[in-house]
Amino acid sequence: MSTLTLKNVTLKFGGLVAVNDLTVQIGAGSITSMIGPNGAGKTSVFNMITGFYKPTAGQILLDGQNLVGKKPSQITRLGLARTFQNLRLFPNLTVLDNVKAGMHSRTKQAVWGALWHTRAQRQEERLIEQTALDCLRFVGMEQDCARIAKNLPYGAQRYLEIARALATQPKLLLLDEPAAGLNYEEKEALIGLIRSIRDTYGLTVLIIEHDMGLIKKISDHVVVLDYGQKIAEGVPEAVLNNPRVVEAYLGKEEAV
């Protein structure tokens, strides 16, 4: 289990401040949710953590190691994986090949090994396939391994992206709106899956989500952003009843 720490993190795009002096501690083994209205800066935070954006200021530490300035592939190798709000699958590949692609950062054999089909390369390929099958079995999709990804129902595509993230063998998993587009039954199943991921794999989980019912049920800790600033954090019930949080979502009531 890993800890993630953001220290005084700021992100600016020209004159626009997307994230402002954010300090957050994500505890090892926790399921933490990051919430806030649209445009609050949540996805920008994820993009900084995973190396897609470089903070203007501040530090992002995974188990004490600064991630700032590292490439996304380097951060993945350090044990951090994510899913995306908008699915990023390989639509024309099979389910199994999509998950195998997630292990690319963990492969050790050089190009010549693949060209000459060496013993080490064959062993690694068997390991990759077995790991991919294990991840698909864990999310309940082993029977779909030969299907083309684009032909899956939307909810199954969400699970496939989670399986691919697990194949990178992460210590910390970032889920960007994993419940988007799911119905009530699918969301309930997702809650069970995320808890099982944390408990079985020993992962720390950080979630961006808009479904408040899901947030209440799954979160150990909640962080709230508004206009790029942290306005509240704590246990779900206290945070979701915080007047500043209610105002951020619903607006300030006008005096009559």
Side-chain angles (χ1 to χ4, degrees):
M1 295 183 180
S2 291
T3 59
L4 180 71
T5 305
L6 283 70
K7 291 185 177 181
N8 307 111
V9 173
T10 295
L11 178 66
K12 296 180 180 179
F13 298 106
L16 174 66
V17 180
V19 178
N20 187 17
D21 197 30
L22 177 64
T23 295
V24 173
Q25 175 88 27
I26 309 300
S30 69
I31 298 177
T32 299
S33 294
M34 184 171 288
I35 68 173
N38 289 330
K42 305 180 298 296
T43 298
S44 291
V45 171
F46 265 35
N47 285 337
M48 286 189 289
I49 293 170
T50 52
F52 288 94
Y53 293 164
K54 184 177 180 180
T56 307
Q59 292 182 307
I60 300 173
L61 306 170
L62 179 65
D63 294 332
Q65 184 167 357
N66 196 359
L67 303 181
V68 175
K70 296 188 182 300
K71 297 177 181 179
S73 59
Q74 294 174 314
I75 292 172
T76 299
R77 284 194 291 272
L78 289 173
L80 197 150
R82 75 174 289 183
T83 65
F84 293 85
Q85 179 181 351
N86 300 313
L87 289 166
R88 296 193 182 181
L89 299 172
F90 298 105
N92 294 312
L93 294 184
T94 66
V95 166
L96 180 61
D97 285 341
N98 265 274
V99 181
K100 287 168 67 176
M103 296 190 66
H104 175 72
S105 65
R106 297 294 181 187
T107 56
K108 297 178 181 178
Q109 295 304 306
V111 173
W112 67 267
L115 291 174
W116 292 100
H117 207 52
T118 63
R119 180 181 178 183
Q121 192 273 336
R122 293 195 302 271
Q123 289 175 335
E124 185 173 71
E125 185 60 32
R126 286 195 293 270
L127 177 61
I128 288 171
E129 181 153 333
Q130 186 57 56
T131 301
L133 286 170
D134 289 344
C135 292
L136 285 169
R137 186 180 302 115
F138 188 83
V139 302
M141 292 185 65
E142 185 183 19
Q143 72 282 359
D144 296 313
C145 64
R147 295 183 66 181
I148 301 299
K150 67 181 179 182
N151 296 332
L152 293 172
Y154 184 80
Q157 291 187 40
R158 285 277 177 199
Y159 274 44
L160 174 55
E161 196 171 39
I162 291 173
R164 186 175 64 186
L166 291 176
T168 69
Q169 301 172 11
K171 297 182 289 185
L172 193 148
L173 179 63
L174 279 64
L175 302 174
D176 193 346
E177 297 196 32
L182 303 185
N183 61 35
Y184 177 80
E185 289 77 15
E186 290 170 331
K187 289 178 182 178
E188 290 297 302
L190 178 67
I191 290 170
L193 176 63
I194 294 173
R195 285 177 177 157
S196 184
I197 287 170
R198 188 265 305 272
D199 297 338
T200 303
Y201 286 89
L203 300 185
T204 303
V205 182
L206 177 59
I207 304 171
I208 291 175
E209 189 49 68
H210 285 290
D211 187 306
M212 292 300 112
L214 185 146
I215 294 296
K216 288 180 181 178
K217 291 177 180 178
I218 202 170
S219 306
D220 300 314
H221 192 78
V222 179
V223 177
V224 189
L225 301 185
D226 191 29
Y227 293 106
Q229 292 186 305
K230 183 175 69 177
I231 61 170
E233 68 174 314
V235 296
E237 186 173 355
V239 168
L240 297 178
N241 289 312
N242 184 310
R244 288 194 67 189
V245 176
V246 174
E247 181 181 325
Y249 274 97
L250 302 179
K252 190 172 183 179
E253 187 175 343
E254 297 292 336
V256 178

